[in-house]
Amino acid sequence: MPHFIAMLSARKFDVLVIIAMTSIYFFSFFQRVGVPGTIFNEIQGDSQLSQGEFLAAGAVTALGAIYLYIYGGLQLFIGVAIDRLGAGRVLLAGGLLLCLGSIAFPLSPNLALLYASRALVGWGASVMFLALIKSIDVRFSERNFAPILGCVLFVGYAGGLVATAPLQRAVAEWGWRNALLGAGIICTAAYLATALLLSREKKEAAKNAPPFSWQTLWRTLLNHKAYPIIAVCMMNFSVYFVIQSNVGKKMLEDCCGITKSQAADATFTMMLLSMAVSFAGGFLSRAIGNRRKPFFIAASLITAAAVGAMSLQLATGFFQGDSAKLFMVGCIIALGLSNVEQALTSAAAKESNPAECAAFSVGYINSAVYLFIAVLCSVAGWILDSFSAQAVKTGDALIYPPEAYRNLLFVLFAAALFACVSALFIRETH
């Protein structure tokens, strides 16, 4: 295998590196979406963790929040490290932590170890996207950056896709611990294959490290052109994430009375649509002269419309019975269209800042986005817990009233409206 790597041309090696790194990114996205969203009820009712009682909703959503606080908090530092040391080295260090956390999480016998292993997953996952940004930036032309990133995001979202309905079925067959342990083992195999491929890359990274400049980083932080991009992505993706990866599946189960499998199918379709539009976004932008702003505006309007419609439905009960179920499922699926901006966010951030800070400029935005998501996940848990007295206990779940989700959706709708206004101030870079 090492001889085969040495025989590859520079272009083929570059392509193979991106594919290998993306395979680990697949599993970081799997962890992001699957926990706690798909297995919310299973963790909340796990007797080994709760000693016969249901865990508080805040304790479950904290599993997502821990990942996000660590992920978001490290983005600035990870961006500097990647720009300085190269993507390969940093990705291998983070990938090792991701593998350790992915295997330790389903083996954890108590809540404290569950949180600790989840922290490892968040730490490891925090390097993946920025490492790919940097690798694409140094290996391919500026014109192809957004389309290639769209392909990478497509594979990443595929990891999230597997973490919806397929994970739900695996959990029903083997239990949540065995299902996640299997995913952790496969992730480790992908990591080992990537490490073998990057053995040549590590030697080259140190030679090409750019000089460190606090002045350049400070200029990036104070670049007001990037602020509207940050605001739009921070609001739109946070709303999407809270629904997709935290409470959306449970909301459908609690408010619409549909089964776990049906709710997982809805988030599966939502993720599938997200994959399609994130993949297409870069190509569509290039087709209209590398314009970005129309996509940010469209994504903001879609987010506001979908969340606003769901909050109105829960507030008024306009639709009843099967019509209400179809309406709520349709809104959640439509929310997947908001991800048309994802590849363009990184492209616009990179284009608005100095070239030598490619990873840092995207990490800057990611830091704001994921810290805000972590706050929203904590708020979601707090809102649900505030209605725990009205919650109905069943054999394997706590069913929260529609009023709890309505209040949460009002908060998300306010964030979506802010994104709509911010999108108007984004400047085109072409």
Side-chain angles (χ1 to χ4, degrees):
M1 183 70 173
H3 177 70
F4 165 74
I5 294 173
M7 294 295 292
L8 289 173
S9 67
R11 177 44 59 94
K12 288 181 180 178
F13 180 77
D14 288 344
V15 172
L16 198 56
V17 165
I18 297 299
I19 292 173
M21 294 170 72
T22 304
S23 70
I24 307 178
Y25 180 55
F26 173 97
F27 286 100
S28 72
F29 224 109
F30 173 90
Q31 292 289 337
R32 187 188 305 176
V33 172
V35 182
T38 302
I39 57 173
F40 193 108
N41 284 339
E42 285 77 8
I43 292 177
Q44 190 172 37
D46 190 302
S47 58
Q48 189 175 356
L49 301 173
S50 57
Q51 289 79 46
E53 297 292 331
F54 286 106
L55 291 174
V60 181
T61 57
L63 291 169
I66 286 173
Y67 174 108
L68 296 165
Y69 279 120
I70 292 175
Y71 188 107
L74 288 175
Q75 289 297 284
L76 293 177
F77 305 102
I78 296 296
V80 172
I82 289 174
D83 284 327
R84 186 80 181 94
L85 302 174
R89 286 180 166 183
V90 179
L91 179 131
L92 289 178
L96 180 60
L97 296 178
L98 176 64
C99 293
L100 291 174
S102 298
I103 291 176
F105 184 83
L107 297 177
S108 300
N110 56 57
L111 199 57
L113 289 178
L114 213 63
Y115 288 144
S117 57
R118 189 64 178 165
L120 281 179
V121 171
W123 196 349
S126 67
V127 312
M128 299 302 158
F129 185 65
L130 296 186
L132 280 161
I133 289 287
K134 187 67 175 182
S135 290
I136 296 170
D137 184 55
V138 300
R139 287 181 169 86
F140 300 96
S141 67
E142 187 75 23
R143 182 173 181 270
N144 292 319
F145 179 86
I148 293 173
L149 183 57
C151 295
V152 168
L153 286 171
F154 183 87
V155 177
Y157 278 117
L161 189 71
V162 174
T164 56
L167 176 59
Q168 176 64 53
R169 284 158 176 74
V171 168
E173 184 70 24
W174 300 302
W176 74 267
R177 292 182 182 273
N178 290 333
L180 290 185
L181 180 60
I185 292 172
I186 299 172
C187 178
T188 303
Y191 170 80
L192 293 175
T194 304
L196 181 61
L197 179 63
L198 289 176
S199 58
R200 188 177 96 181
E201 181 74 3
K202 288 194 295 181
K203 298 175 183 177
E204 296 174 350
K207 299 178 183 178
N208 301 323
F212 181 79
S213 170
W214 281 110
Q215 183 179 8
T216 302
L217 296 185
W218 189 246
R219 194 164 75 246
T220 300
L221 288 172
L222 296 180
N223 179 15
H224 65 276
K225 294 179 182 178
Y227 294 165
I229 301 171
I230 295 172
V232 172
C233 188
M234 186 166 64
M235 298 300 159
N236 285 342
F237 191 65
S238 296
V239 171
Y240 167 86
F241 192 99
V242 169
I243 298 295
Q244 169 69 60
S245 306
N246 214 267
V247 299
K249 174 176 174 288
K250 183 163 179 59
M251 178 176 69
L252 290 178
E253 294 174 30
D254 291 359
C255 297
C256 302
I258 64 178
T259 66
K260 293 179 180 179
S261 295
Q262 290 172 330
D265 287 341
T267 54
F268 175 91
T269 308
M270 176 190 186
M271 181 63 75
L272 195 62
L273 186 58
S274 298
M275 290 170 60
V277 297
S278 64
F279 175 76
F283 294 96
L284 292 173
S285 176
R286 188 172 67 177
I288 62 171
N290 284 325
R291 296 183 66 200
R292 319 295 192 197
K293 188 172 182 177
F295 297 94
F296 287 112
I297 293 175
S300 302
L301 292 174
I302 290 168
T303 302
V307 176
M310 286 191 288
S311 61
L312 282 176
Q313 167 58 26
L314 293 184
T316 64
F318 183 81
F319 294 102
Q320 297 291 325
D322 290 341
S323 296
K325 296 178 184 179
L326 289 173
F327 182 81
M328 291 292 288
V329 168
C331 288
I332 281 187
I333 292 173
L335 193 57
L337 290 170
S338 67
N339 270 300
V340 70
E341 71 177 22
Q342 284 306 298
L344 305 179
T345 298
S346 299
K350 189 176 69 68
E351 292 158 4
S352 301
N353 288 293
E356 63 271 24
C357 287
F360 179 78
S361 61
V362 178
Y364 173 32
I365 289 184
N366 276 359
S367 180
V369 170
Y370 282 98
L371 287 175
F372 187 70
I373 293 173
V375 171
L376 279 186
C377 287
S378 299
V379 169
W382 176 79
I383 291 175
L384 292 183
D385 281 334
S386 68
F387 285 85
S388 58
Q390 294 101 296
V392 177
K393 294 183 179 180
T394 65
D396 61 354
L398 275 178
I399 301 176
Y400 296 94
E403 291 79 11
Y405 296 101
R406 179 197 64 199
N407 289 353
L408 173 58
L409 288 171
F410 283 158
V411 173
L412 300 183
F413 181 63
L417 289 180
F418 187 79
C420 290
V421 175
S422 300
L424 299 176
F425 295 92
I426 290 177
R427 297 183 183 180
E428 289 287 4
T429 61
H430 298 286

